[in-house]
């Protein structure tokens, strides 16, 4: 076996990285300000309007505000370049932040479920529930409009900037919009139907907790999976395989391993080349492989390519021709 040759991509330029993180931070700050104002208004409307569903909705918005702060801190740390103790940079802080958001959503869902359930049980045990007022209904409608706008605004930039933290935060906004729809239905029903229908208010709180939990589990699973070094999705994996096999001079490959590091993709692979090639020619092939991987994974990816002599060049040539 010949010596191994390892290559890795250059990261995005400092200006590109700074733009990415500063833009993500700006989007999150917009969200943070709106969540702060919305939380205060919801709590006030919930207390004045005698609505347990609105108070639960306000608690969800408070969790959104807390996660906005966490995202901003996470982005600030994630933008730090690689150093002697973090050779691949600090990108996983973004993934960790997304996981934290998921856990916060789970906690919010549990709190909303328990609070609403206690109200429903108390009602069926004969306890009278106060009828909510229209200020709670107005707060719910306003929340739907603002949170849906925040979802669309944040998800657009999250996808553009390829930020897991922003995308997770966007779904947090969407779950809050859904919860406000449930709150609106419950509060509206309690107000306009009255009587025994006041129980619709806490029932709405219980129902919306399941919607929040669903989103929370999806966000948490994706983020924790990445923290556990899960492989890239099957489509990207196949694209990498095709890129390797279609590169001139590559007669085979093995030991392909993939993962994500923050918003960047990483791949390690052993490629096989003609054993009669010079070191210079073999290295040139590995450079071409790196370029092809950049096309699939992005130029800020991390690639380690080991060059090995093919044990049977003629076999691989015939094999590839058949392919």
């Amino acid at each position: 076996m010949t010596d191994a040759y390892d290559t890795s991509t250059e990261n995005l330029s400092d200006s590109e990285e700074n733009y990415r993180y500063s833009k993500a931070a700006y989007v999150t700050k917009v969200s943070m300000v709106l969540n702060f104002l919305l939380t205060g208004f919801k709590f006030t409307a919930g207390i004045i309007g005698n609505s347990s569903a609105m108070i639960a909705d306000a608690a969800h918005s408070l969790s959104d505000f807390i996660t906005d702060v966490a995202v901003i801190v996470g982005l600030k740390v994630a933008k730090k370049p690689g150093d002697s103790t973090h050779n691949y940079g600090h990108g996983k802080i973004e993934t960790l932040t997304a996981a934290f958001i998921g856990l916060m959503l789970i906690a919010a869902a549990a709190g909303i479920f328990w609070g609403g359930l206690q109200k429903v049980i108390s009602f069926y045990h004969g306890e009278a529930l106060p009828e909510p007022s229209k200020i709670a209904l107005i707060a719910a409608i306003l929340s739907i409009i603002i949170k849906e706008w925040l979802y669309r605004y944040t998800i657009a930039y999250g996808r553009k900037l390829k930020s897991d933290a922003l995308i997770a935060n966007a779904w947090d906004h969407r779950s809050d919009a859904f919860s406000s729809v449930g709150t609106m239905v419950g509060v509206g029903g309690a107000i306009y139907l009255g009587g025994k229908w006041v129980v619709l208010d806490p029932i709405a709180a219980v129902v919306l907790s399941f919607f929040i939990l669903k989103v929370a589990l999806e966000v948490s699973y994706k983020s924790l999976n990445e923290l556990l070094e899960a492989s890239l999705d099957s489509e990207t994996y196949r694209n990498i395989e095709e890129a390797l096999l279609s590169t001139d001079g590559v007669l085979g490959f093995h030991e392909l391993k993939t993962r994500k590091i923050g918003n960047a993709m990483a791949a390690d692979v052993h490629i096989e080349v003609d054993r009669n090639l010079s070191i210079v020619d073999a290295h040139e092939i590995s450079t071409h492989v790196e370029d092809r991987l950049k096309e699939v994974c992005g130029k800020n990816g991390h690639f380690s390519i080991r060059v090995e002599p093919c044990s049977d060049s003629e076999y691989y040539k015939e094999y590839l021709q058949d392919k």
Side-chain angles (χ1 to χ4, degrees):
M1 182 181 292
T2 63
D3 293 336
Y5 304 94
D6 290 329
T7 59
S8 61
T9 67
E10 295 179 356
N11 289 329
L12 291 173
S13 68
D14 290 341
S15 61
E16 289 175 314
E17 278 294 314
N18 287 334
Y19 169 78
R20 177 179 178 273
Y21 287 112
S22 63
K23 192 63 181 179
Y26 175 79
V27 170
T28 307
K29 287 175 183 177
V30 171
S31 168
M32 184 175 67
V33 171
L34 289 177
N35 274 325
F36 178 77
L37 296 174
L38 196 57
T39 297
F41 180 57
K42 282 183 175 182
F43 270 122
T44 302
I47 294 170
I48 295 175
N50 296 317
S51 173
S52 58
M54 180 49 63
I55 292 175
D57 213 358
H60 189 191
S61 291
L62 178 61
S63 74
D64 288 350
F65 173 75
I66 295 172
T67 53
D68 285 337
V69 175
V71 169
I72 290 174
V73 173
L75 289 170
K76 185 175 181 180
V77 176
K79 72 178 289 188
K80 292 172 61 179
D83 53 38
S84 59
T85 56
H86 300 86
N87 302 139
Y88 290 95
H90 300 77
K92 278 195 178 292
I93 290 294
E94 275 197 72
T95 309
L96 184 62
T97 302
F100 172 75
I101 292 172
L103 294 177
M104 285 293 295
L105 281 170
I106 291 174
I112 291 171
F113 172 81
W114 182 243
L117 183 63
Q118 284 182 313
K119 291 275 188 180
V120 173
I121 292 174
S122 297
F123 175 80
Y124 283 107
H125 283 169
E127 181 180 324
L129 296 179
E131 182 179 307
S133 63
K134 289 184 178 180
I135 189 173
L137 182 60
I138 293 170
I141 295 171
L142 184 64
S143 177
I144 293 169
I145 295 170
I146 293 176
K147 297 301 290 189
E148 180 63 20
W149 179 84
L150 273 176
Y151 163 76
R152 293 174 183 272
Y153 176 66
T154 307
I155 198 73
Y157 277 104
R159 289 168 177 166
K160 179 180 178 181
L161 301 173
K162 297 181 179 178
S163 170
D164 288 339
L166 275 187
I167 291 172
N169 213 20
W171 282 109
D172 197 2
H173 297 319
R174 171 56 69 83
S175 72
D176 204 5
F178 283 155
S179 72
S180 293
V181 170
T183 302
M184 180 184 69
V185 172
V187 172
I191 291 173
Y192 292 106
L193 297 178
K196 65 180 181 180
W197 295 106
V198 294
V199 76
L200 287 175
D201 180 69
I203 287 177
V206 171
V207 172
L208 69 87
S209 70
F210 287 100
F211 286 99
I212 298 170
L213 181 62
K214 178 180 181 295
V215 173
L217 292 176
E218 290 173 352
V219 170
S220 298
Y221 175 78
K222 181 178 183 295
S223 302
L224 293 175
N225 215 25
E226 287 184 12
L227 289 174
L228 292 173
E229 302 291 327
S231 301
L232 298 177
D233 62 275
S234 57
E235 182 180 356
T236 304
Y237 193 91
R238 285 194 300 270
N239 290 339
I240 291 174
E241 288 182 319
E242 291 173 5
L244 291 170
L245 288 174
S246 62
T247 302
D248 290 339
V250 176
L251 304 179
F253 68 89
H254 55 277
E255 297 294 328
L256 174 59
K257 299 174 183 177
T258 63
R259 59 194 170 114
K260 281 198 73 178
I261 304 175
N263 73 308
M265 300 181 190
D268 302 334
V269 66
H270 295 194
I271 62 170
E272 298 178 4
V273 302
D274 191 326
R275 63 172 53 248
N276 297 316
L277 291 178
S278 67
I279 292 177
V280 173
D281 290 337
H283 182 267
E284 185 69 21
I285 292 173
S286 72
T287 301
H288 291 158
V289 168
E290 182 180 353
D291 292 338
R292 294 299 307 278
L293 291 178
K294 286 181 182 180
E295 294 174 4
V296 175
C297 301
K299 62 180 180 179
N300 66 329
H302 303 277
F303 310 116
S304 178
I305 304 165
R306 180 185 175 102
V307 179
E308 296 182 357
C310 179
S311 58
D312 190 342
S313 299
E314 292 302 321
Y315 167 79
Y316 273 107
K317 287 178 181 177
E318 293 176 6
Y319 171 77
L320 292 175
Q321 285 175 356
D322 292 339
K323 293 277 285 187

